[in-house]
Amino acid sequence: MTGNNGSLGGMPTQYVLPDMPYDYGALEPAITGEILELHHSKHHAAYVKGANDTLERLAETRDAGDFSGLVGLEKTFAFNLSGHVLHTIFWDNLSPDGGDRPDGELATAIDEHFGSFDAFRTQLSTATATVQGSGWGVLAWEPLSKRLVVEQVYDHHGNVGMNTTPILVFDAWEHAYYLQYRNVRPDYVQKLWNLVNWADVTSRFDAARGSGTSLTVPST
Ligand SMILES: [Fe+2]
């Protein structure tokens, strides 16, 4: 499935499943190789296919001039695109050499916007562990007020403040942990902290702050 740059009905494929940045077994014992392989090669792959398939359906909709199914297609596209984006970030956010705490300006920003690292950690852990149904806990950069925020995302695309940029994401879907942790999602969340690749989070933080996406109020 990786590297699928084929075409769908003459349209170039828009989304491609990325290779993992480490072996499937690299995050053991926190996450088993079996879970990681299923998670990447089946679940993440399905979101990539879903996003591409929905783009194709949207093109067919435009060609036919029949937009009666647009509401469902737009929801399906948001779901699959967001699933693809979040999983892509999630793999890079984790590392066999992860853990500890951030330093530098990211650490300062966390202290400023959450009070302390421990308070931030508790908020993100709780947001991840208490998502109703399936979702994510997300640390994001909010460009309007130029601050870090924690978002509790439903499915892949609900409960999100528009224009926020995720920089650290914790997958709270059962497919991420149930084979190993059963129903004890908080234990899985605590293990994730030992895998966080703060260098990756820091690079995303720096890119989000410097991307020039801060909103401006139009003068007219
Ligand atoms: Fe997932």
Side-chain angles (χ1 to χ4, degrees), residues 39 87 136 171 173 175:
H39 201 166
H87 283 94
W136 298 74
D171 192 335
W173 282 59
H175 67 225

Side-chain angles (χ1 to χ4, degrees), residues 10 36 39 41 44 49 61-62 66-67 84 93 119 128 137 146 173 176 182 186 193 195 208 211:
L36 216 53
H39 201 166
S41 68
H44 187 172
K49 183 178 187 303
T61 293
R62 290 190 297 273
D66 176 6
F67 289 85
H84 174 36
N93 277 166
T128 308
K146 298 180 173 58
W173 282 59
R182 300 300 178 185
W193 288 104
L195 300 173
S211 66

Side-chain angles (χ1 to χ4, degrees), residues 19-220:
D19 292 331
M20 292 290 282
Y22 34 75
D23 293 337
Y24 287 134
L27 302 184
E28 292 184 351
I31 302 175
T32 67
E34 180 188 21
I35 287 179
L36 216 53
E37 181 169 6
L38 286 168
H39 201 166
H40 175 256
S41 68
K42 302 298 183 185
H43 294 280
H44 187 172
Y47 301 129
V48 173
K49 183 178 187 303
N52 287 324
D53 286 352
T54 310
L55 282 181
E56 177 73 3
R57 299 291 89 73
L58 286 164
E60 293 170 357
T61 293
R62 290 190 297 273
D63 289 345
D66 176 6
F67 289 85
S68 59
L70 188 64
V71 171
L73 288 171
E74 295 286 9
K75 185 175 183 179
T76 300
F77 183 66
F79 175 85
N80 285 289
L81 173 61
S82 300
H84 174 36
V85 168
L86 285 167
H87 283 94
T88 300
I89 297 171
F90 185 51
W91 309 136
D92 286 344
N93 277 166
L94 304 181
S95 166
D97 303 316
D100 206 2
R101 296 182 176 202
D103 53 19
E105 292 186 40
L106 176 57
T108 301
I110 288 173
D111 286 344
E112 180 178 345
H113 299 141
F114 296 99
S116 68
F117 180 82
D118 288 341
F120 152 69
R121 174 175 167 145
T122 301
Q123 184 174 343
L124 182 55
S125 292
T126 304
T128 308
T130 62
V131 172
Q132 294 174 322
S134 299
W136 298 74
V138 172
L139 172 65
W141 176 252
E142 195 287 287
L144 189 58
S145 66
K146 298 180 173 58
R147 64 178 298 124
L148 293 166
V149 295
V150 165
E151 298 177 310
Q152 186 180 56
V153 178
Y154 291 104
D155 290 336
H156 301 307
H157 57 305
N159 217 28
V160 177
M162 189 66 75
N163 207 35
T164 55
T165 301
I167 65 171
L168 173 62
V169 301
F170 285 170
D171 192 335
W173 282 59
E174 286 188 349
H175 67 225
Y177 65 90
Y178 203 86
L179 286 176
Q180 186 174 1
Y181 294 89
R182 300 300 178 185
N183 59 319
V184 192
R185 191 193 292 174
D187 285 358
Y188 153 75
V189 175
Q190 291 309 309
K191 294 288 175 50
L192 286 179
W193 288 104
N194 299 327
L195 300 173
V196 174
N197 180 349
W198 288 110
D200 179 69
V201 179
T202 298
S203 70
R204 294 178 185 280
F205 173 62
D206 291 341
R209 287 188 303 162
S211 66
T213 57
S214 297
L215 298 178
T216 56
V217 178
S219 58
T220 56

